[in-house]
C-alpha cells in the first residue's frame, strides 16, 4: 500500500526537469503499411479463436457506456464468457446517454465531397496532429457500419422527408456527416447499446454486475488478470479474475469538478490501472466546450452543456465596449463584436471547439464578458429567427431551448443565451497501442478512457463514434487476437498472492479514508481542486501557472489525507466513501495533468500555452520536438523526490501531411 | 430563503425508516432540488451527521438516475420534470418540504432516498431488444423510414427509465414504461420482426413485478420524457395482436 500523503519537493517555480525524467520510447505497433490499409492488414493477422473454444475465455468489461456495452455485447454474441461491471444501477445510465449533438460517419452519401479520406483529414487536422493517423483511418472506415448497426438495434435516427438518414454539419468540418436523433443522440445510442447488452444477459453469455465499482487491477505474471470491485450496496470487496480486462469507464473531465460530465463520472478505474503500470497518455489534453452554461451560483453542481449544434444557427457575440452593462437587446448591431466571425471568416461560428473556447475566454478575461458574473458570452438566435422563421428554429432546437430555460429561467427565443467554456472531454487517457492494448498486456481500453483518435482536440460528434467503433468493431477483433494463444490457460485462482495483495490494498485504502476523521467532506476538496485546475490548467496555460498548480495540488492532497471526513461505514451504501475515493484519485491525477502541461512546451489543440503563440494569438505548435505522444508513468506517491517518467511514442503522418491548423 | 426539509432516513432495506427534519437557511431560487440536497449534505457533514443518500448522475434530465418524492409527488412539484431539474423557485420561503424515496412495492428502498429499480431492466431483458448481432445489419438507408415514423418512434423512445410513472401509479403499474418501449420498437420497420414475441415476453415480465393498469393517467403527468398516455394502450394492444396472430413477428 502506497502512501499518498508525502509530498515531493515543493517548488512553486519548478521546471519540467524537476518533475520528470525520460524513459524508453513506447511502440504503438501500428502495421507497417499505408495508413488506409492498416486495419485490413491487422485484422488479417489476428489469430482466431474457434467458436467452440470461445466460452473457455473469460473477459471482464468495466463500464456499460457505448464502448463498454458494445464490447460486452459483441464479445457475448461471439460466444465469450463476459463479466460486465458498472457503478450504475442500470447499464443505460452511463454518461454516453447525455450526448446531444450527434455521431459522425464517413458514409459520404451526399455530393458534398465527403469521403473516408476527408474524415481522416478533418480528424487528424482537428486533433492538431497529436493523434495516431492509422487509428483515425480505422475510425473512419468502421464508421459506416456503426450507423447501420445502431439503426438496426433500435436507435431511431432522424430521417429526411424522403425516408433516408438525415445529417447535419458540426464544428470544424465543411461537410454534412453528423447523424443524430433530435438532441438525444447519445441517449438513443446508449439505450440501444444497453438493450443489446441485456439481450446477451438474457442469453447467458454476459453476467452483468450493477452497482459495483472497480477499485483496483490485478496484475500477475506481467498480465492483467482481474479486477477488485466493491459492491456499492453491501460494501463487500472481492476480486474477479479473467483472461483479459477491458476498461470502458469514460473520461476524466469531472476532475475539474464543474464540468459537463455526470456527478459519478470518475477516473478511478483508469487511475488505479495506471498505478498498476498502464501508462497515461497526454493527460493535459482536455477539451473545454465553448457552449456550456456559465456558473451562476456557488452551489451549482455542474456546467450543463448546450449542444454545439446550436452554433449552426446561433451567432456568438459580446459588446464591443468592455463592461457594457446594457441588456443585450439594447445594444445596437454596430456596438456588438461577433468576434468569431471577425477573426475566422471562413468558419465563423463553427470554428473548432478549442478555438471557440479560447476566443471566448480571451474576450471574458479582457473584460467583455456578459451576465451578472461577467463570465459568459452571448449566443444569439435573433438572426436565425428572422431568416428561417420561429417555427423552424424551434423545431431544430426545442429541447435545448427548453433545457436552457429550465436551468436559467430565460427564454432563448426572446433573449440571447449566455454560454461559457466548461471542462468537457478528455482527449488524453490510458495509452494503448494500435490494438487498444495498454502497456499492461491483457488490459484493453475502449471509448473515452483511451486516447488515440482525437489528438489534442476532438471534433464534435467524433467521440460517440469512437466509443461505438471501439466497442462494436475494434475490441471484438483485438481482444480475441490476444486471447487465442492463451487457449488452455485458467483464470487466476483467488488465493494467488497477486489477488490477495490487490484486495488487501483496497481494504487498506477504504479503511484509511474512513478513519482519517477530519473535518471536511470530499466534495469540498473536489470543488477546490476544480478551482485550481480551471485557474492553472484551463483554456490558457503558462509554465508559471502550471508550476503553481502543481504546488497547490500537492498541498491540497496533503490536507485531504489529514483532514477528510468520511462519515458512515464501509459495509453499507456509502456515497460519501465513494466520492472520497474518487477525489483521492483525482488529487493524484491532477498533479500529472499539470506536469504534462508544463512539460509539453508548445501549444497544440486544446493545450494552449500563452508562451507559444503567434503575434495574433494563434497556437504555435512545435513539430520538431513535440510531434509525439507523452505516455506517463507515475512514481509511487510515497517516494520522496521521485519524478514522473515520460515515455514517448513518435507520431508520423503519411496520408495527411503535417500542416498548420488554420481556420481563418 | 429558508426551507424546512422532512427527509426520509432509512439505514438499509431491512431497517425501518422515519422522517427527520432539517433546515436549510440559505437556499436560493436558482438551486435545483438536488443542489438543495447537496447543500443540506454539506451542512450535515459539517455537523458530523451522516449525509442523506440520494441518486443522481447527469443532473440534466437524461440519465434517469434521480427521482425523489416531493410532498408525495414523484420528482417534484413541476409536471413532467425530473428531480434534477426541479428548482427551489417552486417553493415559498419558509415552506416545509417532505422528501421521500419513490414509493412502490416493485422498488424496495436501498437506503434513505435510494431505491432499487432493477425490475424495470428485467422487463427490457425479457424482450426489449433486437436480435441483430454486430456486423450483420443491412445498410440503414435501404429501408426508408418516413420522417413522421421516425419522429413518432422518437416520441416513445425518449423514456429515461426513471420509474416515476410506477411511483405515481396507485397500482404501481409499469405500463407507461413498457408501452413506450413496445411502441418505439413496433413503429420502426427495422425492429418490427420480433414484435409479437417481444410483446408477450415483456408484458409477462411486467405483470410479474408490477401492478395492473387502471388508466388513472397519473403516470403521464409526472413523466419527465413526456411519454404520451397512448403508450399504456399499446401494452394490451401489442399483446392482443401477438395472441391473435400467433407468430413471433
Ligand atoms: C454532455 C456531453 C455531451 C456530449 N455530446 C457528444 C456528442 O454530441 N457527440 C459525440 O460524439 N460525443 C459527445 N460527447 C462525448 C461522448 O458522449 C463520450 O465521449 C462517450 O459517450 C463516452 O463513452 P464511454 O463508453 O467511453 O463512457 P461512458 O458512457 O461515460 O461510460 C462509462 C461507464 O463506466 C462505468 N464506470 C466508470 N467508472 C467505473 C468504475 N470504477 N467501476 C465500474 N464501472 C465504472 C460507468 O458506470 C459507465 O457505465 C458528449 C459528452 C458529454 C459529457
Ligand atoms: S415512462 Fe416516463 S416516468 Fe416512466 S420510466 Fe420512462 S421516463 Fe420515467
Ligand atoms: S440526474 Fe440524470 S435525470 Fe436527473
Amino acid at each position: 500500500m502506497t502512501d499518498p500523503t508525502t509530498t515531493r519537493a515543493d517548488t512553486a517555480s519548478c521546471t519540467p526537469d524537476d518533475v520528470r525524467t525520460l524513459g524508453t520510447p513506447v511502440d504503438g505497433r501500428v502495421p507497417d503499411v499505408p495508413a488506409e490499409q492498416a486495419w485490413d492488414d491487422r485484422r488479417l493477422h489476428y489469430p482466431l479463436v474457434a467458436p467452440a473454444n470461445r466460452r473457455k475465455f473469460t473477459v471482464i468489461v468495466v463500464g456499460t457506456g457505448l464502448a463498454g456495452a458494445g464490447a460486452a455485447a459483441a464479445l457475448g454474441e461471439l460466444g465469450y464468457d463476459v463479466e460486465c461491471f458498472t457503478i450504475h444501477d442500470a447499464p443505460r445510465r452511463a454518461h454516453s446517454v447525455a450526448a446531444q449533438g450527434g455521431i459522425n460517419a464517413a458514409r459520404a452519401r451526399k455530393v458534398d465531397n465527403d469521403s473516408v479520406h476527408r474524415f481522416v483529414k478533418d480528424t487528424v487536422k482537428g486533433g492538431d496532429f497529436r493523434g495516431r493517423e492509422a487509428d483515425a483511418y480505422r475510425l473512419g472506415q468502421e464508421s459506416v457500419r456503426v450507423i447501420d448497426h445502431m439503426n438496426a438495434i433500435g436507435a431511431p435516427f432522424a430521417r429526411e422527408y424522403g425516408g433516408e438518414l438525415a445529417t447535419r454539419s458540426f464544428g470544424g468540418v465543411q461537410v454534412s456527416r453528423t447523424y443524430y436523433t433530435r438532441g438525444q443522440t447519445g441517449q438513443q445510442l446508449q439505450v440501444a447499446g444497453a438493450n443489446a447488452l441485456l439481450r446477451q444477459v438474457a442469453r447467458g453469455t454476459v453476467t452483468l454486475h450493477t452497482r459495483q465499482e472497480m477499485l483496483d487491477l490485478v496484475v500477475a505474471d506481467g498480465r492483467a488478470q482481474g479486477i477488485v470491485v466493491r459492491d456499492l450496496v453491501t460494501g463487500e470487496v472481492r476480486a474477479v479474475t479473467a483472461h483479459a480486462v477491458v476498461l470502458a469507464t469514460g473520461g476524466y473531465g469531472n476532475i475539474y469538478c464543474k464540468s459537463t460530465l455526470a456527478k459519478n463520472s470518475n477516473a478511478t478505474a483508469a487511475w488505479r490501472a495506471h498505478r498498476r503500470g498502464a501508462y497515461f497518455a497526454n493527460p493535459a489534453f482536455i477539451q473545454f466546450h465553448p457552449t456550456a452554461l456559465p456558473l451562476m451560483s456557488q452551489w451549482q453542481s455542474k456546467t450543463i452543456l448546450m449542444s454545439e449544434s446550436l452554433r449552426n444557427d446561433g451567432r456568438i457575440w459580446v459588446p464591443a465596449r468592455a463592461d457594457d452593462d446594457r441588456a443585450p437587446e439594447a445594444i445596437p448591431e454596430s456596438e456588438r463584436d461577433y468576434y468569431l466571425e471577425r477573426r475566422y471568416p471562413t468558419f465563423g461560428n463553427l470554428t473548432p471547439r478549442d478555438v471557440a473556447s479560447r476566443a471566448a475566454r480571451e474576450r471574458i478575461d479582457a473584460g467583455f464578458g456578459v451576465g451578472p458574473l461577467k463570465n459568459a458570452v452571448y449566443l444569439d438566435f435573433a438572426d436565425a429567427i428572422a431568416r428561417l422563421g420561429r417555427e423552424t428554429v424551434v423545431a431544430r432546437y426545442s429541447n435545448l431551448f427548453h433545457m436552457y430555460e429550465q436551468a436559467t429561467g430565460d427564454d432563448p427565443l426572446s433573449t440571447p443565451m449566455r454560454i461559457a467554456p466548461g471542462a468537457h472531454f478528455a482527449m488524453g487517457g490510458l495509452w494503448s497501442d494500435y490494438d487498444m492494448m495498454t502497456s499492461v498486456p491483457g488490459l484493453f481500453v475502449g471509448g473515452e478512457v483511451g486516447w488515440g483518435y482525437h489528438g489534442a482536440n476532438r471534433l464534435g460528434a467524433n467521440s460517440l463514434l469512437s466509443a461505438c467503433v471501439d466497442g462494436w468493431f475494434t475490441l471484438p477483433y483485438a481482444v480475441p487476437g490476444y486471447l487465442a494463444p492463451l487457449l488452455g490457460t485458467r483464470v487466476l485462482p483467488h488465493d494467488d498472492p497477486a489477488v490477495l495483495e490487490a484486495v488487501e490494498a483496497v481494504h487498506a485504502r477504504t479503511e484509511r479514508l474512513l478513519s482519517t476523521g477530519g473535518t471536511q467532506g470530499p466534495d469540498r476538496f473536489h470543488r477546490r481542486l476544480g478551482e485550481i485546475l480551471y485557474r492553472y490548467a484551463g483554456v490558457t496555460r503558462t509554465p508559471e501557472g502550471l508550476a503553481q498548480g502543481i504546488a497547490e495540488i500537492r498541498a491540497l492532497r496533503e490536507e485531504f489525507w489529514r483532514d477528510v471526513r468520511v462519515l458512515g461505514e464501509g459495509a453499507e451504501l456509502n456515497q460519501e466513501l465513494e466520492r472520497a475515493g474518487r477525489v483521492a484519485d483525482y488529487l493524484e491525477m491532477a498533479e500529472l495533468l499539470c506536469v504534462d502541461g508544463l512539460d509539453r512546451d508548445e501549444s497544440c489543440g486544446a493545450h494552449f500555452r500563452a508562451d507559444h503563440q503567434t503575434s495574433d494569438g494563434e497556437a504555435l505548435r512545435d513539430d520538431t520536438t513535440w510531434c509525439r505522444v507523452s505516455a506517463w508513468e507515475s512514481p509511487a506517491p510515497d517516494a520522496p523526490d521521485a519524478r514522473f517518467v515520460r515515455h514517448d511514442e513518435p507520431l508520423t503522418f503519411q496520408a495527411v501531411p503535417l500542416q498548420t491548423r488554420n481556420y481563418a | 430563503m429558508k426551507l424546512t426539509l422532512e427527509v426520509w432516513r432509512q439505514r438499509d432495506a431491512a431497517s425501518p425508516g422515519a422522517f427527520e427534519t432539517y433546515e436549510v437557511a440559505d437556499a436560493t431560487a436558482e438551486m435545483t432540488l438536488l443542489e438543495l440536497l447537496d447543500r443540506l449534505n454539506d451542512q450535515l457533514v459539517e455537523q458530523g451527521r451522516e449525509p442523506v443518500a440520494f441518486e443522481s448522475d447527469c443532473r440534466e434530465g437524461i440519465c434517469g438516475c434521480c427521482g425523489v418524492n416531493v410532498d408525495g409527488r414523484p420528482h417534484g412539484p413541476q409536471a413532467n420534470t425530473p428531480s434534477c431539474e426541479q428548482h427551489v423557485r417552486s417553493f415559498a420561503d419558509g415552506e416545509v418540504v417532505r422528501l421521500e424515496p419513490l414509493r412502490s412495492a416493485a422498488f424496495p428502498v436501498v437506503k434513505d432516498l435510494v431505491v432499487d429499480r432493477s425490475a424495470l431492466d428485467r422487463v427490457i431483458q425479457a424482450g426489449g431488444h433486437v436480435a441483430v448481432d454486430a456486423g450483420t445489419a443491412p445498410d440503414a438507408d435501404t429501408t426508408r423510414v418516413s420522417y413522421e415514423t421516425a419522429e413518432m418512434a422518437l416520441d416513445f423512445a425518449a423514456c429515461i427509465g426513471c420509474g416515476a410513472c410506477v411511483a405515481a401509479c396507485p397500482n404501481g403499474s409499469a405500463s407507461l414504461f413498457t408501452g413506450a418501449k413496445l411502441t418505439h420498437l413496433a413503429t420502426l420497420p427495422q425492429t418490427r420482426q420480433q414484435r409479437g414475441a417481444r410483446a408477450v415476453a415483456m408484458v409477462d415480465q411486467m405483470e410479474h413485478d408490477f401492478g395492473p393498469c387502471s388508466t388513472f393517467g397519473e403516470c403521464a403527468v409526472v413523466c419527465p420524457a413526456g411519454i404520451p398516455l397512448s403508450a399504456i394502450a399499446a401494452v394490451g394492444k401489442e399483446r392482443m395482436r401477438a395472441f391473435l396472430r400467433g407468430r413471433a413477428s
Side-chain angles (χ1 to χ4, degrees), chain A residues 338-646:
Chain A
Y338 295 88
Y339 57 89
L340 284 178
E341 297 172 21
R342 169 169 60 79
R343 289 180 62 182
Y344 309 100
T346 312
F347 281 79
N349 294 296
L350 289 177
T351 53
R353 291 181 178 171
D354 56 325
V355 177
S357 286
R358 211 157 51 235
R361 189 81 260 156
E362 189 274 327
R363 286 290 82 187
I364 293 168
D365 289 345
F368 295 87
V370 300
L373 301 178
K374 304 236 172 270
N375 59 354
V377 299
Y378 289 127
L379 177 63
D380 197 336
F381 287 89
D383 278 359
I385 294 168
R387 181 165 43 90
L388 304 163
R390 207 182 156 89
E391 210 173 295
T392 309
V393 175
V394 170
R396 279 187 197 166
Y397 305 110
S398 63
N399 67 325
L400 296 169
F401 286 176
H402 176 71
M403 196 163 159
Y404 182 84
E405 196 169 351
Q406 280 284 340
T408 63
D410 285 346
D411 173 13
L413 290 169
S414 50
T415 187
M417 281 181 169
R418 288 194 309 267
I419 53 166
H424 178 53
F425 180 84
M427 280 77 68
L430 289 181
W431 179 87
S432 66
D433 63 13
Y434 184 71
D435 301 316
M436 310 299 299
M437 191 160 83
T438 65
S439 52
V440 177
L443 179 68
F444 292 81
V445 287
E448 197 176 334
V449 74
W451 76 281
Y453 306 103
H454 312 295
N457 176 52
R458 168 186 68 107
L459 286 188
N462 256 7
S463 54
L464 287 177
L465 176 64
S466 56
C468 285
V469 165
D470 287 350
W472 292 102
F473 296 112
T474 305
L475 290 164
Y477 294 94
V479 173
Y482 166 81
L483 293 174
L486 296 176
L487 186 65
T489 62
R490 299 219 184 152
V491 300
L492 208 59
H494 283 196
D495 57 1
D496 186 277
V499 176
L500 297 174
E501 189 270 326
V503 171
E504 185 41 42
V506 170
H507 275 302
R509 208 177 145 75
T510 307
E511 202 33 56
R512 180 146 185 239
L513 286 168
L514 287 165
S515 62
T516 299
T519 64
Q520 308 173 64
D523 277 352
R524 291 203 181 174
F525 288 96
H526 194 186
R527 282 198 290 271
R528 282 164 65 195
L529 176 64
E531 283 163 18
I532 295 175
L533 286 173
Y534 266 109
R535 193 167 319 126
Y536 301 119
V539 171
T540 300
R541 297 143 181 207
T542 63
E544 304 74 37
L546 289 158
Q548 181 64 27
I550 293 171
E552 291 186 20
I553 290 161
R554 288 177 183 172
L556 187 64
R557 188 170 66 222
E558 189 274 327
E559 182 182 336
F560 177 89
W561 285 106
R562 192 164 34 78
D563 196 37
V564 70
R565 167 181 277 182
V566 184
L567 297 162
E569 285 154 31
E572 60 173 358
L573 177 71
N574 187 339
Q575 295 175 329
E576 203 71 344
L577 176 62
E578 295 166 28
R579 289 189 277 263
R582 294 168 195 161
V583 172
D585 288 334
Y586 281 150
L587 284 166
E588 290 182 23
M589 190 190 159
E591 182 178 349
L592 178 59
L593 192 158
C594 291
V595 166
D596 184 43
L598 177 68
D599 181 52
R600 186 168 281 273
D601 198 18
E602 66 162 349
S603 291
C604 59
H607 173 61
F608 186 79
R609 283 262 301 254
D611 49 333
H612 296 287
Q613 55 178 315
T614 62
S615 53
D616 49 359
E618 299 305 326
L620 256 187
R621 238 172 42 210
D622 173 3
D623 289 333
T624 323
T625 318
W626 288 104
C627 193
R628 60 189 179 202
V629 185
S630 301
W632 293 96
E633 197 184 333
S634 292
D638 54 355
D641 292 330
R643 284 175 287 176
F644 294 90
V645 183
R646 193 186 84 211

Side-chain angles (χ1 to χ4, degrees), chain B residues 19-38:
Chain B
F19 285 101
E20 280 188 27
T21 306
Y22 310 103
E23 230 161 58
V24 175
D26 56 357
T28 56
E30 70 275 6
M31 272 183 180
T32 66
L33 178 66
L34 303 189
E35 285 163 2
L36 180 67
L37 278 169
D38 292 339

Side-chain angles (χ1 to χ4, degrees), chain B residues 95-109:
Chain B
E95 202 172 323
V96 181
V97 181
R98 176 169 269 220
L99 302 175
E100 3 167 23
L102 294 179
R103 295 289 187 194
S104 170
F107 296 163
V109 174

Side-chain angles (χ1 to χ4, degrees), chain A residues 88 92 151 154 302 524 565, chain B residues 45-46 57-58 60 159:
Chain A
H88 289 107
R92 62 180 294 148
N151 172 68
K302 66 178 297 189
R524 291 203 181 174
R565 167 181 277 182
Chain B
V45 172
E46 195 162 76
D57 203 26
C58 73
E60 52 182 271
C159 164

